[in-house]
């Protein structure tokens, strides 16, 4: 029988899968919704970005709540609320523009607690030398959620109608909630299902003492230490580039645009932000085929994320220091994608470009064993709060990157120049990380 902690990780992976899939539903369903409601391309950009408005605001609050109350209740509440928002989305779209934007912002607010809750729970249920594997499993669920959402949404739309995928994923969300409520507790010591040997293994493998609840650190204290800045900068770079990858997909099809005499990329960036919309609009590919085109990189990330976590834990068990392992993992997670972006500049066929994009996204998953875990290394009692702050900073970076990409390319007339700039950002952050990050407790 599987150990209780891995059952918890499986349930966390399941909700992270739903968290991601619920985001993707709108990315696919927005095609028929736009056709039905006569939405313009510019309005699609507002709708898609409205999620980030709420997400940016709730990460810090969610992190603080997790530190105080633990991840179980916070994650359950968040899942219930974002499932409700998913159900309301198509009805809000038909009702009015303000109601749609309000629901999407509310959806972002609810999902902002997911990652801090996940990290909090895994830090309680797993010893230090297994946490990277646990995060790899859970974030693998998140990446596969993109695949699930991309593949099932068009099937549900064609079989049931536009409401189909929203109802389906809402049902799955509440089904998960029922199982979670009766199965998972905040701390393994509170569990009635865990065996004594497993509980002893978890407690013996923790390098941090029991967390202090209900007390937030002053920001001046947190930001007086460079390891905190290393985490924040890493999150900013990670989110900046994650959103840029949607834009970099243009390189895949640049030769087609040139053959069609498109001399300017202005106006295409909104479409390129969401691959299903892009394939459907530019190439006339139906939603089912477009979903499969869009899903491959995310499936790759799920696999490499698990490999990164398992390898990191193996190195720690083999005697490598936590600091060394976090630096190695993060260096791969940034230098690898940065190099792939530089190579992308020289891609001349869509096949080669697709390979480089997939490589970049896959290698970026090594960050899950780097900065993603590091807040629990340096500040176990404030980890959720630091996670929330860095997530909010990263979300701001994501919003800026979606705007900066278009402006930069329009200014220089070269998408390759922007890819090079982004690669340099990767390399610069890697240097800062290796100079100032640590696996030792700071706070």
């Amino acid at each position: 029988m599987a150990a209780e902690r891995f059952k918890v990780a499986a349930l966390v992976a399941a909700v992270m899968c739903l968290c991601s899939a619920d985001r993707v539903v709108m990315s696919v369903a927005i095609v028929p919704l736009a056709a039905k409601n006569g939405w313009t391309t510019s309005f699609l950009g507002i709708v898609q970005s409205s999620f980030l408005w709420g997400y940016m605001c709730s990460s810090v609050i969610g992190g603080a709540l997790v530190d105080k109350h633990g991840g179980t209740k916070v994650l359950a509440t968040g899942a219930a609320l974002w499932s409700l928002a998913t159900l309301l989305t198509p009805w809000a779209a038909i009702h009015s523009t303000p109601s749609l934007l309000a629901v999407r912002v509310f959806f972002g607010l609810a999902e902002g607690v997911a990652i801090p809750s996940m990290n909090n729970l895994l830090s309680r249920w797993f010893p230090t030398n297994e946490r990277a594997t646990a995060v790899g499993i859970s974030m693998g669920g998140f990446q596969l959620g993109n695949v699930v959402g991309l593949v099932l949404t068009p099937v549900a739309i064609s079989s049931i109608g536009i409401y189909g995928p929203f109802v389906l994923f809402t049902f799955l969300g509440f089904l998960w909630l029922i199982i979670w409520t009766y199965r998972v507790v905040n701390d393994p010591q509170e569990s009635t299902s865990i065996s004594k040997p497993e509980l002893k293994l978890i407690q013996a493998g923790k390098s941090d003492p029991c967390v202090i609840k209900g007390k937030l650190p002053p920001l001046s204290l947190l930001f007086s230490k460079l390891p905190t800045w290393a985490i924040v900068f890493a999150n900013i770079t990670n989110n900046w580039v994650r959103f840029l990858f949607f834009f970099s997909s243009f390189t895949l099809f640049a030769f087609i645009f040139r053959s069609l005499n498109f001399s300017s990329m202005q106006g295409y960036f909104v479409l390129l932000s969401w691959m299903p919309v892009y394939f459907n609009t530019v190439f006339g590919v139906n939603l089912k085929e477009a979903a499969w085109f869009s899903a491959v990189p995310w499936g790759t990330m799920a696999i490499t994320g698990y490999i990164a976590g398992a390898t990191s834990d193996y190195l720690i068990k083999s005697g490598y220091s936590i600091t060394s392992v976090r630096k190695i993992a993060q260096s791969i997670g940034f230098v690898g994608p940065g190099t792939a972006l530089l190579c992308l500049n020289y891609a001349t066929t869509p096949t080669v470009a697709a390979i480089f994009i997939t490589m970049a996204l896959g290698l970026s998953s090594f960050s899950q064993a780097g900065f993603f875990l590091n807040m629990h290394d340096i500040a176990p009692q404030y980890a959720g709060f630091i996670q929330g702050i860095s997530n909010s900073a990263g979300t701001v970076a994501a919003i800026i990157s979606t705007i900066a990409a278009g402006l930069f390319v329009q200014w220089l007339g070269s998408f390759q120049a922007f890819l090079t700039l982004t690669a340099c950002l990767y390399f610069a952050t890697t240097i800062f990380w290796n100079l100032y990050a640590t696996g030792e407790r700071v706070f």
Side-chain angles (χ1 to χ4, degrees):
M1 183 178 292
E4 191 68 21
R5 65 189 184 281
F6 286 103
K7 294 178 183 178
V8 172
L11 282 172
V12 173
V15 78
M16 295 305 292
C17 179
L18 289 172
C19 176
S20 178
D22 285 348
R23 300 184 194 185
V24 172
V25 169
M26 191 60 174
S27 297
V28 180
I30 202 169
V31 175
L33 282 174
K36 184 176 182 178
N37 295 287
W39 294 340
T40 64
T41 299
S42 58
F43 182 67
L44 298 188
I46 296 173
V47 172
Q48 293 287 62
S49 66
S50 59
F51 161 81
L52 293 174
W53 307 345
Y55 189 82
M56 176 178 61
C57 297
S58 65
S59 291
V60 176
I61 297 173
L65 289 173
V66 163
D67 285 340
K68 184 175 182 179
H69 300 291
T72 304
K73 292 181 179 179
V74 177
L75 184 55
T77 302
L81 293 177
W82 84 58
S83 296
L84 177 62
T86 299
L87 181 65
L88 294 176
T89 296
W91 282 274
I94 294 173
H95 185 265
S96 68
T97 296
S99 62
L100 173 61
L101 296 180
V103 168
R104 297 306 292 172
V105 171
F106 179 72
F107 177 70
L109 282 168
E111 286 215 340
V113 306
I115 289 180
S117 298
M118 178 198 77
N119 267 340
N120 177 277
L121 279 165
L122 297 182
S123 71
R124 291 169 181 260
W125 275 90
F126 283 83
T128 301
N129 59 10
E130 290 183 355
R131 285 180 191 169
T133 300
V135 168
I137 293 171
S138 300
M139 288 303 294
F142 183 83
Q143 309 303 348
L144 288 176
N146 289 284
V147 179
V148 170
L150 286 166
V151 173
L152 290 187
T153 300
V155 174
I157 290 175
S158 62
S159 303
I160 307 173
I162 190 63
Y163 299 107
F166 296 96
V167 173
L168 171 63
F169 285 107
T170 299
F171 169 76
L172 292 176
F174 283 108
L175 178 62
W176 172 90
L177 187 63
I178 293 171
I179 299 172
W180 179 263
T181 302
Y182 289 99
R183 184 73 193 185
V184 179
V185 293
N186 267 328
D187 196 284
Q189 296 183 71
E190 303 169 3
S191 174
T192 58
S193 303
I194 194 171
S195 66
K196 289 184 179 180
E198 183 180 6
L199 179 60
K200 184 177 180 180
L201 182 150
I202 294 171
Q203 292 174 331
K206 288 186 177 182
S207 59
D208 52 85
C210 294
V211 298
I212 302 171
K213 296 183 178 180
K215 186 177 180 181
L216 295 179
L219 290 177
S220 58
L221 173 63
L222 288 181
F223 288 103
S224 66
K225 305 296 183 182
L226 287 171
T228 303
W229 285 105
I231 292 172
V232 172
F233 288 153
N235 206 326
I236 288 173
T237 301
N238 186 67
N239 279 274
W240 171 284
V241 181
R242 188 68 60 85
F243 274 72
L244 172 65
F245 279 128
F246 289 108
F247 291 115
S248 67
S249 301
F250 177 84
T251 308
L252 279 166
F253 311 102
F255 78 102
I256 294 178
F257 285 149
R258 285 197 295 270
S259 67
L260 295 175
N261 295 319
F262 282 110
S263 59
S264 170
M265 289 183 286
Q266 185 177 4
Y268 286 91
F269 285 102
V270 173
L271 296 177
L272 296 175
S273 296
W274 314 282
M275 292 304 290
V277 180
Y278 173 68
F279 280 109
N280 176 265
T281 304
V282 176
F283 299 110
V285 176
N286 67 53
L287 285 181
K288 291 182 181 180
E289 294 173 340
W292 281 107
F293 273 116
S294 309
V296 173
W298 302 110
T300 302
M301 289 184 73
I303 296 172
T304 56
Y306 176 78
I307 292 172
T311 302
S312 295
D313 285 339
Y314 173 78
L315 291 175
I316 292 174
K317 292 176 182 177
S318 299
Y320 286 82
S321 70
I322 296 176
T323 298
S324 297
V325 173
R326 299 287 182 256
K327 288 184 176 182
I328 291 170
Q330 192 58 60
S331 295
I332 296 173
F334 276 178
V335 173
T339 303
L341 283 182
L342 292 178
C343 293
L344 189 60
N345 284 328
Y346 302 98
T348 56
T349 67
T351 301
V352 173
I355 291 172
F356 285 133
I357 290 175
T358 303
M359 286 175 56
L361 280 169
L363 290 172
S364 72
S365 291
F366 274 80
S367 292
Q368 294 169 192
F371 84 87
F372 206 78
L373 284 171
N374 194 227
M375 54 277 295
H376 284 281
D377 299 326
I378 69 169
Q381 73 272 45
Y382 305 135
F385 192 54
I386 296 177
Q387 178 89 64
I389 292 173
S390 63
N391 276 355
S392 293
T395 304
V396 172
I399 295 172
I400 293 174
S401 72
T402 60
I403 299 171
L407 294 177
F408 196 89
V409 172
Q410 184 177 349
W411 176 42
L412 289 183
S414 170
F415 192 72
Q416 285 73 18
F418 189 71
L419 290 178
T420 301
L421 174 66
T422 303
C424 291
L425 177 62
Y426 258 139
F427 301 146
T429 308
T430 303
I431 294 172
F432 191 90
W433 175 265
N434 280 283
L435 287 175
Y436 300 114
T438 179
E440 303 298 322
R441 182 168 179 171
V442 177
F443 302 103

